[in-house]
Amino acid sequence: DTGVSQNPRHKITKRGQNVTFRCDPISEHNRLYWYRQTLGQGPEFLTYFQNEAQLEKSRLLSDRFSAERPKGSFSTLEIQRTEQGDSAMYLCASSLAGRGRETQYFGPGTRLLVL
Amino acid sequence: QKEVEQNSGPLSVPEGAIASLNCTYSDRGSQSFFWYRQYSGKSPELIMFIYSNGDKEDGRFTAQLNKASQYVSLLIRDSQPSDSATYLCAVKTSYDKVIFGPGTSLSVIP
């Protein structure tokens, strides 16, 4: 297993455009998280899935953000009508959820720059 | 009150010294606690996890957990310049979600 992968690694877009990011988790992991991280801050929770079910979406997330995990494997995060404030590193992590014990493994991230 | 807080940095220690990183959390029912290291421009990597009160040691790293005080710490003994990074405390809360603190930047001076 090669770990968590994310594509693309970098994305530059113009304000108002839509972007989509992909995350491929570790194959046997049933949970998948999306985080956003800006310089000097810790990862900010966006949403997470258990298998194909989206369990929670951050209240801070606007309707421009949507995520899917259609078959319980890979996931996509789409940002519509991007704004300059969306510029950040978008991190995906996967884990095997168990009783009270859950270790997340992170992908390399997708760095988004909105011009 | 933020869900996970960490001592503000940056923290500077001389090479060979002990670095002490602290974290507090608000959800008393939190179950699991993690320390991640993040180098600039890279994604977080897991260093330690701890579930039970007390100390857990792994090489130069020791994690300490006190659930009554809602406090978890990370000690790095014999600090090396390669330990210079941001250290993130993460907590799996009682509502089954993993939340990260803001991180503490550590600089080990040769």
Side-chain angles (χ1 to χ4, degrees):
Chain A
D1 191 4
T2 57
V4 180
S5 62
Q6 292 186 246
N7 287 290
R9 295 290 306 277
H10 303 273
K11 179 70 176 179
I12 300 174
T13 191
K14 293 182 179 180
R15 188 175 53 189
Q17 297 296 304
N18 298 344
V19 295
T20 300
F21 308 143
R22 175 176 171 131
C23 172
D24 287 88
I26 293 172
S27 57
E28 65 267 25
H29 284 183
N30 55 1
R31 279 201 178 169
L32 188 150
Y33 290 75
W34 285 100
Y35 294 91
R36 176 173 62 190
Q37 188 175 29
T38 53
L39 196 63
Q41 301 297 315
E44 175 192 7
F45 170 82
L46 295 180
T47 189
Y48 78 117
F49 295 82
Q50 179 147 329
N51 300 314
E52 65 275 11
Q54 187 173 20
L55 298 186
E56 186 174 342
K57 181 178 177 180
S58 170
R59 292 189 302 273
L60 302 175
L61 219 55
S62 77
D63 291 342
R64 296 184 297 106
F65 288 73
S66 63
E68 293 183 340
R69 194 183 183 198
K71 297 182 180 179
S73 55
F74 73 92
S75 175
T76 58
L77 176 69
E78 181 183 18
I79 309 173
Q80 296 181 328
R81 305 181 303 282
T82 53
E83 302 173 356
Q84 288 183 327
D86 297 331
S87 297
M89 173 77 88
Y90 289 82
L91 293 166
C92 173
S94 72
S95 64
L96 186 60
R99 185 178 174 83
R101 302 188 175 194
E102 180 178 353
T103 300
Q104 295 184 324
Y105 296 86
F106 280 84
T110 295
R111 187 171 294 280
L112 173 66
L113 177 61
V114 181
L115 301 177
Chain B
Q1 181 187 9
K2 293 184 178 180
E3 294 181 273
V4 180
E5 300 196 55
Q6 296 184 238
N7 51 327
S8 59
L11 176 66
S12 292
V13 298
E15 184 174 355
I18 296 175
S20 177
L21 304 163
N22 303 317
C23 173
T24 58
Y25 57 94
S26 60
D27 181 4
R28 184 169 290 278
S30 296
Q31 307 166 39
S32 313
F33 308 87
F34 307 87
W35 284 100
Y36 285 82
R37 177 175 61 199
Q38 187 174 29
Y39 292 111
S40 180
K42 302 294 185 182
S43 57
E45 56 179 330
L46 182 70
I47 301 174
M48 294 277 291
F49 57 87
I50 186 167
Y51 309 119
S52 304
N53 276 329
D55 295 359
K56 179 180 179 182
E57 186 174 320
D58 184 1
R60 296 186 295 111
F61 299 96
T62 299
Q64 299 174 317
L65 175 61
N66 184 327
K67 289 186 178 181
S69 301
Q70 296 174 236
Y71 172 90
V72 59
S73 66
L74 179 70
L75 300 177
I76 306 174
R77 292 183 299 281
D78 188 23
S79 296
Q80 302 297 308
S82 59
D83 295 327
S84 298
T86 295
Y87 289 80
L88 299 164
C89 172
V91 175
K92 183 173 182 181
T93 64
S94 61
Y95 41 96
D96 209 27
K97 186 170 70 178
V98 178
I99 301 294
F100 283 79
T104 299
S105 176
L106 172 66
S107 180
V108 180
I109 311 301

